[in-house]
Amino acid sequence: MSKQLILHNRLFFLNLMSFFGGFVFYAPVSLLVRTRCGVTEAQFFLLEAILSVSIFFFEVPCGLLSDRLGYKNTLIAGSCFLFAARLLMFCSDRFWLFAVEAVAEGIASALFSGTFSAYLYEVEPQDFAENLSKNDNCSNLGFILSSLGFFVLYAYGGIDSLLFFTMLFSFAALICSFFLKPVGAKPCRLRRKQAAVPVHLSLAAPDIVLVFLLGCVSVAFLLVNFFYVSLLIKVGIPEKYMTAFILVYSAIQLSVPRIVHRLRRWQPLLSLRLFLVVAFFLAFSLPLLSGFGIILPMLLFPTVLSVLGVYLEQYQNRRIDALSRGENRAEFLSVYSMVSRLTEILFLLGSSALSRLTTDLVFFLLGALFLISVFACALLPKQESDQ
């Protein structure tokens, strides 16, 4: 059996799991799902805070657990928690049940964080970037199809049908997780001595730069979510077309594996620098362009951010190899993710101050961050596969 066919078989159920997990039919009316049960808007944002805090606090413990239980077992556990969260969402009719659902979803996200990336890297390190982008595509495709299916389900079955089918697809993802091939973890009895070695990020320049780059990409995605509506209104496009706009740029994001494949002969660090430069120009162009000329950069920007995310995950894994800490891969990846999530939390806490700035100034500042990132990349050492 050829190497490509073996690799396809090992990743088939992981990709199928991501595809089913991407179906969230109720996403366009997530606020209405709660408010119809008496949850106020203030309580809705409190639920979002509970979700973020749950992910933040469970992230590293779940990464540690993943390295000891094995990646397959951790993905099964994450799928169980996600299905439990979807079931709770379907049954909830009061605030405290929605709060329990938020914690369950947070634990699921924490279990997935780092483990997906570690699983893909252990299966095939050399093709990691391409395989990760394909896995992300499966999730994006599920999201696109569920967004299209929303209109039909909502018209004929209302919110309950949206919640039921989301739960059904989550159960399908759970079933897929049982068919994953075991990779990654050694038996716990062989790891007792290794467990005494603490996992922490050093203050070395590569770690600082890597965390800074992860924070920039995280903040950029948040700005896309927060300010794209304002940019559309600025050029005269009504707010009601935002959902269609999201579907279009999500469809463009499906090109990420093709982009990564085209650049597979390039040094990963060179590819990372190239897309940081592109992100800088796109971020700066958004406040400078007027009329419908702004549409193309807006559509391309999320795809560029997705490509950056792929290369940053690749660099994280190779950084872990350089530190000879592969036995703690999921835990290290969770630490990187937790620090990046802290950046998001600080950003959200400062969003009230940010809202007083003009949209143009916000994207100028984002462009400045990406420009700093381009020069900061000079502090990232080449890795063995880059030589």
Side-chain angles (χ1 to χ4, degrees), residues 1 38 60 88 103 120 153 174 241 271 319 343-344 367 383:
M1 188 180 293
V60 173
L88 279 167
V103 173
L120 283 163
L153 291 176
L174 171 59
Y241 291 110
S271 300
R319 173 68 178 162
T343 305
E344 293 181 19
Q383 297 158 332

Side-chain angles (χ1 to χ4, degrees), residues 78-372:
S79 298
C80 288
F81 272 99
L82 185 59
F83 174 68
R86 300 299 186 228
L87 179 61
L88 279 167
M89 181 70 77
F90 181 69
C91 299
S92 295
D93 60 354
R94 57 202 68 189
F95 174 78
W96 72 267
L97 284 173
F98 284 114
V100 174
E101 179 274 330
V103 173
E105 186 172 349
I107 294 173
S109 297
L111 286 165
F112 289 146
S113 175
T115 307
F116 260 100
S117 180
Y119 187 101
L120 283 163
Y121 193 80
E122 290 289 343
V123 168
E124 183 52 67
Q126 295 304 316
D127 294 326
F128 170 78
E130 194 169 345
N131 291 332
L132 176 63
S133 61
K134 288 177 180 177
N135 186 265
D136 289 342
N137 255 16
C138 292
S139 181
N140 286 336
L141 183 59
F143 169 76
I144 292 171
L145 294 176
S146 66
S147 297
L148 295 173
F150 160 80
F151 300 102
V152 177
L153 291 176
Y154 191 57
Y156 289 97
I159 288 179
D160 286 337
S161 68
L162 300 175
L163 296 174
F164 175 78
F165 279 98
T166 299
M167 180 181 65
L168 193 64
F169 276 86
S170 178
F171 182 72
L174 171 59
I175 296 300
C176 290
S177 68
F178 285 97
F179 291 93
L180 296 174
K181 301 293 183 182
V183 297
K186 301 174 183 178
C188 291
R189 57 187 170 82
L190 296 178
R191 302 170 58 82
R192 286 173 185 167
K193 293 182 179 179
Q194 296 170 350
V197 182
V199 168
H200 64 276
L201 296 184
S202 69
L203 293 178
D207 289 322
I208 295 173
V209 171
L210 191 52
V211 166
F212 176 74
L213 296 179
L214 289 167
C216 287
V217 173
S218 295
V219 169
F221 271 119
L222 285 173
L223 291 177
V224 166
N225 293 332
F226 281 12
F227 290 100
Y228 260 28
V229 173
S230 300
L231 289 174
L232 287 180
I233 294 174
K234 173 185 170 183
V235 298
I237 298 176
E239 184 179 351
K240 65 181 180 180
Y241 291 110
M242 186 62 197
T243 300
F245 194 82
I246 292 173
L247 287 175
V248 173
Y249 75 62
S250 296
I252 295 174
Q253 283 179 286
L254 297 177
S255 65
V256 172
R258 176 64 61 181
I259 294 171
V260 173
H261 180 74
R262 290 278 186 181
L263 299 179
R264 67 189 183 281
R265 298 185 185 280
W266 288 34
Q267 296 175 358
L269 195 54
L270 179 60
S271 300
L272 177 62
R273 288 170 177 162
L274 169 65
F275 280 92
L276 284 172
V277 171
V278 175
F280 157 70
F281 280 111
L282 288 177
F284 253 88
S285 71
L286 294 178
L288 293 176
L289 295 173
S290 59
F292 288 97
I294 200 175
I295 299 299
L296 184 59
M298 286 179 67
L299 291 173
L300 295 178
F301 194 43
T303 297
V304 171
L305 295 178
S306 295
V307 174
L308 281 173
V310 168
Y311 283 121
L312 284 173
E313 283 208 45
Q314 182 181 52
Y315 197 93
Q316 288 174 69
N317 276 286
R318 291 182 176 176
R319 173 68 178 162
I320 294 167
D321 287 344
L323 295 172
S324 301
R325 296 301 299 272
E327 74 278 0
N328 300 113
R329 186 175 304 281
E331 193 175 354
F332 258 95
L333 290 169
S334 295
V335 172
Y336 281 122
S337 180
M338 186 188 73
V339 176
S340 173
R341 199 170 301 280
L342 179 61
T343 305
E344 293 181 19
I345 293 173
L346 292 175
F347 172 81
L348 291 170
L349 290 174
S351 60
S352 58
L354 194 64
S355 64
R356 291 194 288 268
L357 302 177
T358 64
T359 303
D360 289 349
L361 183 56
V362 166
F363 281 100
F364 272 131
L365 292 174
L366 180 62
L369 283 176
F370 278 117
L371 182 60
I372 294 171

